[in-house]
Amino acid sequence: FCPGAFIMWYIARRTPGLWKSGPRRVLTAGLTFQLLGAATYAVVACKATGMVRRMDPAEAHSGETSEPHDESSDFGSGAPAFAIALLIGRFISGMGSGLCQQFYVASMLHLTPVSERPEHTTRWVFSGMLAIGAGPMAAAGLGLLRGHSTSASHLDFTHVGFGQIAVVLCAFGVVFGLHPDLESAKDEMETEVAADGQVEMRSSKSESAGCE
């Protein structure tokens, strides 16, 4: 998350008008990172679930003859690769989340009048906290779709992976279908700077008149 937020902060400083000229491009880039991270998790979940199921004797097909094979050794040898893949996927997904979050912060300052910022900031923080809290709850609910048993045959992580992909794809749809065009939007930061300049000018004039 932090690297993505820092990169977006730097880009926003170098390109002040990005909030108006390219919001869809920025959000698409951030969501693409999140989609890659979700896809990485889904692939690892599918492979891990398949290996765990094959380790359960109840899942073995009766009547099939095959050479004895220790599936647990396969799972053990693949565990480090799975862990590395999950870490990489989490980093990529967090990068995209940081890009989007930092871009929203910069955009809110340009789009929201000073008098309305406390209200909108509260909504933004609350929605972010709600999303962070709802994620683990949704993942737990999807994990229970296979039942409460912890036996190998009931361990299934694929629902969570595909659920993440579905959420990101829905976000893509919202960006391309519902995100407004900001080309004609008023820049409240410029209005604020102009108002501060007028106040300083009046104050300097008052001080000059007082000295005279």
Side-chain angles (χ1 to χ4, degrees), residues 13-128:
R13 283 180 61 88
R14 300 279 295 182
T15 315
L18 186 61
W19 68 273
K20 179 183 289 190
S21 62
R24 285 191 180 92
R25 293 199 304 270
V26 174
L27 296 177
T28 299
L31 289 175
T32 300
F33 278 108
Q34 294 186 60
L35 182 61
L36 290 174
T40 301
Y41 177 86
V43 171
V44 173
C46 289
K47 289 184 176 294
T49 299
M51 297 181 94
V52 169
R53 285 180 180 175
R54 288 195 298 271
M55 289 168 57
D56 188 2
E59 295 292 317
H61 296 286
S62 59
E64 293 184 357
T65 58
S66 61
E67 297 182 0
H69 185 65
D70 187 3
E71 295 287 352
S72 61
S73 63
D74 286 349
F75 184 80
S77 62
F82 290 159
I84 293 173
L86 287 175
L87 287 174
I88 293 174
R90 184 66 187 91
F91 178 83
I92 294 173
S93 179
M95 178 84 70
S97 178
L99 286 171
C100 292
Q101 289 275 11
Q102 188 63 32
F103 181 73
Y104 281 132
V105 171
S107 298
M108 185 181 67
L109 294 175
H110 287 282
L111 291 169
T112 310
V114 178
S115 60
E116 300 178 10
R117 283 179 189 170
E119 177 183 359
H120 288 285
T121 300
T122 302
R123 291 177 178 175
W124 177 75
V125 173
F126 176 76
S127 63

Side-chain angles (χ1 to χ4, degrees), residues 114 188-202:
V114 178
E188 296 296 337
M189 291 287 288
E190 292 181 355
T191 304
E192 181 181 355
V193 171
D196 291 341
Q198 291 178 0
V199 170
E200 290 180 2
M201 187 178 297
R202 292 196 191 108

